[in-house]
Amino acid sequence: MAVDLDATQTEAMAALSAATTPEGLDAWKGAWIGGSGRLKSLMAGLKDVPKDQKPAFGKRLNELKAAIESAYEARRAEVDASAGPRGPLVDVTEPGTPVAEGCRHVLSRTIDEIVDVFGRMGFTLAEGPEVEDEWHNFTALNIPESHPARDATDNFYMGEQGGVKRLLRTQTSTVQIRAMERQKPPLKVVATGRVYRPDTHDATHYSMFHQIEGLYIDRGVSMADLKTTLVQFAKAYFGAEAEVRMRPSFFPFTEPSAEVDMKMRIKGEWKWVELGGCGMVDPNVLQAVGIDPEEWTGFAFGLGIERIAMRRYGIGDIRWLFENDARFLRQF
Ligand code: DAH
């Protein structure tokens, strides 16, 4: 028996290293370990080996078989790996396209925070339409027919419907009337929303802005309750050192009436800021909605949301709040 198994193994290994493609490996497999490959014929030749050499030859042959088979598996894995990925060419480690992250608008946040404070003080939320009729915007609020506040130049009139003149509301005080029509006293509500005035836009004026309105009607409500409510709000919202100042004023729907200033921290310093108006609800207003002013009294207030947010966050121009420039809005 002249077959040199060491030389055969060397030859098989050399041919295997030379196979660099999946096709080359398939060919090697067919030639060496396939059904009619070299290994098969060596096995078949075992029967012709002289009897005394058979055990040694058989053992060596088995070693050869194991060696080239495992070498084949290893080489197959290597070639498969270097042949590159199969299936779709997606690199899951590549950074994706970033999706811009949104944030709440500074005004929405301010409104939520303010409503939250009044909510804790027992005020519920009331609502009214932005397109109002003259009765809710003026008449029921004790604003006479001849009052200049009704001038066409000071309002966005929207034409008539069913003989009723409509306009974009100029104040959230309209919601006082809506709330009292809907619910008998006692009544304790706040309303927030947009109001509209034909102002020329500049750093402090815009034709649309937001107000928060408060209304409390009960037996024996006094000016002291009004002041207490405003002070509690100021301290809860602006901090324990906040203060409230009321200056005598006039509004048709309150008597007496006052302007409200609150002392808030602006860039580390406590400063007075004028925020809106307030007063005791005028008996004529109560009468307009069928509430007996002899039995019930109440207070009302209206504050400007933009004012609060602008002073609080040091926003120098009201127009920035409505330009929707993400670079500006992202700061809050
Ligand atoms: N509606 C007033 C305005 O827009 C603000 C106001 C003043 C509201 C006094 C009130 C109030 O409820 O009592 O200027």
Side-chain angles (χ1 to χ4, degrees), residues 170-171 173 176 197 211 213-214 251 253-254 258 276-279 300-302:
T170 56
Q171 49 189 354
S173 302
Q176 290 184 35
R197 295 180 193 175
Q211 291 184 327
E213 193 83 12
F251 297 101
F253 31 91
T254 42
C278 67
F301 60 85

Side-chain angles (χ1 to χ4, degrees), residues 141 170-174 176 195 197 209 211-215 226 250-260 275-281 299-303:
L141 286 165
T170 56
Q171 49 189 354
T172 46
S173 302
T174 53
Q176 290 184 35
V195 299
R197 295 180 193 175
F209 55 98
Q211 291 184 327
I212 174 152
E213 193 83 12
L215 175 72
L226 169 58
F250 173 79
F251 297 101
F253 31 91
T254 42
E255 182 59 37
S257 303
E259 309 259 352
V260 186
L275 289 185
C278 67
M280 299 305 292
V281 178
F299 67 68
F301 60 85
L303 311 174

Side-chain angles (χ1 to χ4, degrees), residues 307-327:
R307 283 240 165 147
I308 295 175
M310 286 172 71
R311 298 309 293 264
R312 191 168 190 201
Y313 297 106
I315 298 167
D317 194 316
I318 193 171
R319 292 168 291 196
W320 297 339
L321 292 169
F322 307 116
E323 280 169 357
N324 284 337
D325 185 331
R327 292 169 303 177

